[in-house]
Amino acid sequence: VEKNLLQPMQLNFVLTPANRIDLNEISEKNRIFLKEKLNLVCLFSPEHGVRGHLQAGVRFDTYIDEESNTPVYSLYTKDKKPTKEMLDTIDVLCIDIQDVGSRFYTYIYTMAYSMMACKEFDKEFVVFDRPNPVNGLDYEGNILDLNYRSFVGYYPILQRHGMTIGELAKLFNEEFKIGCDLKVIEMKGWTHDLYMDETTAPWINPSPNMPTLDTAIVYTGTGNFEGMNISEGRGTTKPFEFIGAPFINPHKWAEKLNSLGLEGVYFRPMYFTPTFEDYANQLCGGVQVHVTDRDKFSATKVGAAMVYTAKELYPYNSATQSYIKLVTGNDYLFKLDKSLEEIFTILDQDAEKFSITRDKYLIYK
């Protein structure tokens, strides 16, 4: 099966500028192939719906998709994986979905649970690989402590893993013993050093609050604030770039953060008013995370520093929820029982340790 024939709605291989072709022509071939050559039985949906339009946490029941006239089953459920009844009518389960390169983005665990179901019920699992939009060269952060295993961190991998979903599927299948019948359809024209905007692939929102590549670049760090009573910018034009709360003095926090001398980033003091989610319709003080040099920017160190300084400045108001232990995969940002320098050392050591495992499963070297 050729990769460029299977996805009707999204581009599924990456073209470098030297290999441009007519994307409209590809899209039309995809639609024709899907309708005439394949027997599409059903669709399985991750957290944000089959078209990435549902807000975080939204649940839904089975329905008929108007475009394909097939049933849509949600995998964002208590069991998190297809049932025997769902898989009885299919031969092959395929995934063709855009990840964002972060350990706590739930699509990769929907993939893992689906692989488990395919192993259990003897079905083939095919991954149509897609790029890591924040490049596959850089990786960073801590390795998940399995004491904090959850749907936002199931396997002991890094916060920023630096892998494609195809490479992750191979790692999950072999390293963590899923053992399903796995096939990875590799991309053409992509290498690990490429960010999404260095290809001709258009940005298509993977989920409602992931509107740009800039969002994805900071998300692995500022996603920490989903475990705090501080807004991560949902309900604004810059989710995960605008961080704040009504009790924060933006100038004081920005000055504290900028004094740390973190590379590749500037924290601009600002005010914003979310239209929904945390502090909806309330004026928040905070910072905008400006990435000034993405090659030097460390999302995980920035995220750790932001949590650390917020808790230092506002120890009562910014009290962390236990959910932060699941998002970060550790307890030291919850307890704040280590210095920031000690935390940075852990991040560096874990990245070096994980590289040994990661290197075994890379496809695009």
Side-chain angles (χ1 to χ4, degrees), residues 101-104 108-109 138-150 152-162 168 176 219-224 298-305 307 323-334 338 340-355 358:
S102 173
R103 183 179 65 213
F104 45 75
I108 60 175
Y109 304 116
D138 299 318
Y139 51 93
E140 56 174 298
N142 71 299
I143 297 173
L144 175 81
D145 182 338
L146 288 177
N147 288 314
Y148 307 111
R149 184 178 228 183
S150 73
V152 292
Y154 193 78
Y155 290 122
I157 62 175
L158 295 179
Q159 289 162 283
R160 181 182 180 184
H161 48 71
L168 281 173
F176 303 126
Y219 172 73
T220 303
T222 55
N224 289 346
S298 169
T300 58
K301 289 182 179 178
V302 164
V307 170
Y323 185 66
I324 197 173
K325 292 186 284 188
L326 305 184
V327 175
T328 62
N330 65 68
D331 64 358
Y332 41 80
L333 281 175
F334 177 79
K338 299 182 185 297
L340 192 56
E341 291 72 21
E342 288 174 322
I343 292 172
F344 285 179
T345 297
I346 292 172
L347 302 184
D348 289 338
Q349 290 175 342
D350 277 10
E352 184 176 355
K353 179 180 178 181
F354 181 71
S355 68
R358 173 182 174 273

Side-chain angles (χ1 to χ4, degrees), residues 296-320:
K296 294 181 179 179
F297 176 75
S298 169
T300 58
K301 289 182 179 178
V302 164
M306 292 180 72
V307 170
Y308 197 96
T309 53
K311 292 184 72 172
E312 276 189 325
L313 292 172
Y314 306 98
Y316 174 73
N317 288 324
S318 68
T320 47

